[in-house]
Amino acid sequence: MMSNLINNAVEAVENIKKEGEGIVEVSYEVKEEEVEVRITDNGEGMPQHMVEKINKGESVGTTKEDGNGIGMEQILGTIKELKGELVVKSKQGEGTEFRLRFAKCEKPKWFADKIEIKKGSTVVIIDDDISVHEIWKNKFNGYDGEVKYFTTGIEGLN
């Protein structure tokens, strides 16, 4: 869903802006009861009749030459499945803003609020996603102990 929205925003910017002038912003805000995600662009904008249909949760088809509208249908389906809310604002020639709101959910029971590590301990990170290793490297920057990174469980056990 997020990928579709971001791709659409990038395409809208590429369609009318000269190189370096297009802006796509993705932001979020965590509120007491909900999370709001905003995707904003300064691209070509959408016709008002499409905005109204999307805000009603109706499928809109596509205006793309090689598109079929499945992306927006998937977005609307996901919003409905997650009991979220989608609000679109758009002005042709100026850009579009998508606001997605979802109720905050309880964190999983297995999720730790904090991890306590004794000074000098060895920390082992096992994950097949190298970008996750980079996140942990930033977290452990300056740590007074050893941190070992592995991409498989077997590698970590060995």
Side-chain angles (χ1 to χ4, degrees), residues 16 68 73 85 91 94 103 120 138 142 150 156:
I16 67 165
N68 53 31
E73 200 169 303
E85 178 184 359
K91 189 166 184 182
E94 291 186 22
N138 287 332
F150 303 102

Side-chain angles (χ1 to χ4, degrees), residues 15-34:
N15 286 343
I16 67 165
K17 300 294 177 186
K18 294 179 185 165
E19 190 172 324
E21 291 181 358
I23 298 171
V24 175
E25 293 180 346
V26 179
S27 60
Y28 71 95
E29 184 178 354
V30 179
K31 301 177 181 180
E32 202 165 307
E33 298 294 321
E34 68 181 12

Side-chain angles (χ1 to χ4, degrees), residues 85-101:
E85 178 184 359
L86 172 64
V87 176
V88 181
K89 294 179 182 175
S90 187
K91 189 166 184 182
Q92 288 193 287
E94 291 186 22
T96 302
E97 175 184 73
F98 281 82
R99 286 181 180 247
L100 299 91
R101 291 186 188 104

Side-chain angles (χ1 to χ4, degrees), residues 3 10 14 24 27 29 33 44-45 49 55-56 80 85-86 88 93 105 117:
S3 176
V10 169
E14 288 175 343
V24 175
S27 60
E29 184 178 354
E33 298 294 321
E44 62 188 333
H49 73 277
N55 284 333
K56 291 178 186 175
K80 184 176 181 180
E85 178 184 359
L86 172 64
V88 181
C105 60
I117 301 170

